Amino acid sequence: MSEPTRIPAPAGVAPATAYTHIVIGTGRFVAVSGQLALDEDGKLVGEGDPAAQARQVFENLRRCLAAAGATFDDVVKLTYFVTDMAHMPAIRAARAEHIPDDRLPASSAVQVAALVGPQFLMEIEAFAVLPG
């Protein structure tokens, strides 16, 4: 993929904070299913701890991207599903360990009533674009 084009504030739209409104790329599309805070043995990491869960989720995303030949540099969109919007600062901190502020993808954050189990505080999915 050529370097993605990021448009943080299209004409007539309020500037984005902590994400980019538009990311344009060309190439092969990679969809990474929503990741939970499970370690490689399927055990929960960070029960009741949004920071620990966010770190594990981003590590799982990193591993999934790598399996597809991608990195966080290739991510054009992240979708956050959270049981409480109060978890977003922990998610942003974990994201900052992998994605610098000048390369933020397009993003959506959705508060949900529940995830697949009550122990999970968040689930995050990623979309990336690789060279064709």
Side-chain angles (χ1 to χ4, degrees):
M1 172 177 83
S2 59
E3 180 67 22
T5 301
R6 289 173 171 77
I7 305 171
V13 177
T17 56
Y19 66 96
T20 299
H21 277 294
I22 301 167
V23 180
I24 303 166
T26 58
R28 293 180 300 129
F29 182 71
V30 176
V32 178
S33 292
Q35 296 298 302
L36 298 166
L38 295 172
D39 67 14
E40 60 192 35
D41 296 321
K43 293 188 168 92
L44 175 67
V45 173
E47 185 164 357
D49 182 346
Q53 287 199 20
R55 285 190 302 274
Q56 183 64 45
V57 168
F58 272 92
E59 178 58 19
N60 291 348
L61 288 169
R62 185 194 65 73
R63 290 175 180 174
C64 289
L65 289 164
T71 70
F72 279 105
D73 285 344
D74 302 306
V75 172
V76 295
K77 175 83 164 53
L78 290 171
T79 305
Y80 310 100
F81 302 97
V82 296
T83 57
D84 188 332
M85 283 296 178
H87 303 322
M88 288 306 298
I91 290 170
R92 283 192 291 274
R95 182 191 64 197
E97 295 175 15
H98 298 277
I99 304 172
D101 285 347
D102 65 341
R103 300 192 56 79
L104 293 175
S107 298
S108 299
V110 182
Q111 184 168 327
V112 296
L115 293 166
V116 352
Q119 69 275 31
F120 300 111
L121 304 177
M122 64 199 63
E123 181 173 335
I124 303 173
E125 65 184 19
F127 300 110
V129 178
L130 294 174

